[in-house]
Amino acid sequence: MGRSTANDDLLVLSGNQLQYVYETILSLDEGDGYMENGVLYNEAKLYKEYKSSSGVIKGLARSIGCGNGSSGIVIYSNGDCAPCEMLSEAVCGNIFESNFGDIWKNSNVLSDFRELFNKSVSDIDGCEDCKINDRCGGSCRAEPYISGNILGKGSMCIKDLFVNT
């Protein structure tokens, strides 16, 4: 984002660095539930499966959301933490005031997002009978969260985009 795009050659991980990240994530998984889901963890599981197989990869179950709050968070320059860059008002802690591990494990905001992995896209308002709900992931949950209902319908509904074009 922002000025970092001018330095993406310095910021984007190489293949070897990405393998290191995946292997580190897998080695840190203590089976305590904090790393069970999320984009990077799922990618790490796929990496592990691919590495140990003949290249045949089985699909992962589709869950709501993108992994924010479960595979990573945003830390702003003032120390505030949020589930994603679109939720700067959903502060879940501050690393200058609290231990990061405590924020990661005990934040109610992060718990709200992690709970999405126990839900189906069909649990989102308006998605129950959608013919593509098994493939869309329920779109971004930032807007519905800000509106007070993380399972509410967002304005970026894929079905609505197709219907209105």
Side-chain angles (χ1 to χ4, degrees), residues 1 45 77 82 89 92 96 104-105 107 114 156-157 159:
M1 291 181 66
K45 289 192 305 188
S77 59
E89 61 277 336
C92 55
F96 298 130
W104 183 254
K105 291 182 178 180
S107 165
R114 291 175 182 148
M156 294 303 295
C157 172
K159 177 182 71 173

Side-chain angles (χ1 to χ4, degrees), residues 38-57:
V39 175
L40 279 177
Y41 184 69
N42 285 336
E43 287 178 7
K45 289 192 305 188
L46 282 172
Y47 163 77
K48 179 181 177 183
E49 186 174 341
Y50 183 80
K51 186 177 162 187
S52 66
S53 73
S54 61
V56 178
I57 300 176

Side-chain angles (χ1 to χ4, degrees), residues 34-43 62-74 82-85 87 104 109-117 137 139-142 150:
Y34 289 106
M35 295 183 70
E36 287 180 359
N37 294 298
V39 175
L40 279 177
Y41 184 69
N42 285 336
E43 287 178 7
R62 179 53 126 171
S63 57
I64 299 173
C66 63
N68 289 332
S70 59
S71 66
I73 64 173
V74 174
C84 82
E85 66 276 0
L87 287 168
W104 183 254
V109 174
L110 297 178
S111 292
D112 289 343
F113 281 88
R114 291 175 182 148
E115 184 60 30
L116 291 174
F117 287 103
S139 74
C140 179
R141 298 287 86 208
I150 199 167

Side-chain angles (χ1 to χ4, degrees), residues 134-146:
D134 63 328
R135 295 181 297 282
C136 81
S139 74
C140 179
R141 298 287 86 208
E143 180 187 4
Y145 183 82
I146 293 167

Side-chain angles (χ1 to χ4, degrees), residues 86-142:
M86 295 180 61
L87 287 168
S88 59
E89 61 277 336
V91 174
C92 55
N94 184 293
I95 60 169
F96 298 130
E97 299 169 5
S98 301
N99 176 285
F100 178 77
D102 291 337
I103 295 168
W104 183 254
K105 291 182 178 180
N106 302 316
S107 165
N108 291 332
V109 174
L110 297 178
S111 292
D112 289 343
F113 281 88
R114 291 175 182 148
E115 184 60 30
L116 291 174
F117 287 103
N118 297 320
K119 303 283 184 186
S120 162
V121 175
S122 294
D123 293 324
I124 296 174
D125 296 342
C127 294
E128 305 86 5
D129 299 320
C130 177
K131 294 178 182 176
I132 60 169
N133 70 7
D134 63 328
R135 295 181 297 282
C136 81
S139 74
C140 179
R141 298 287 86 208

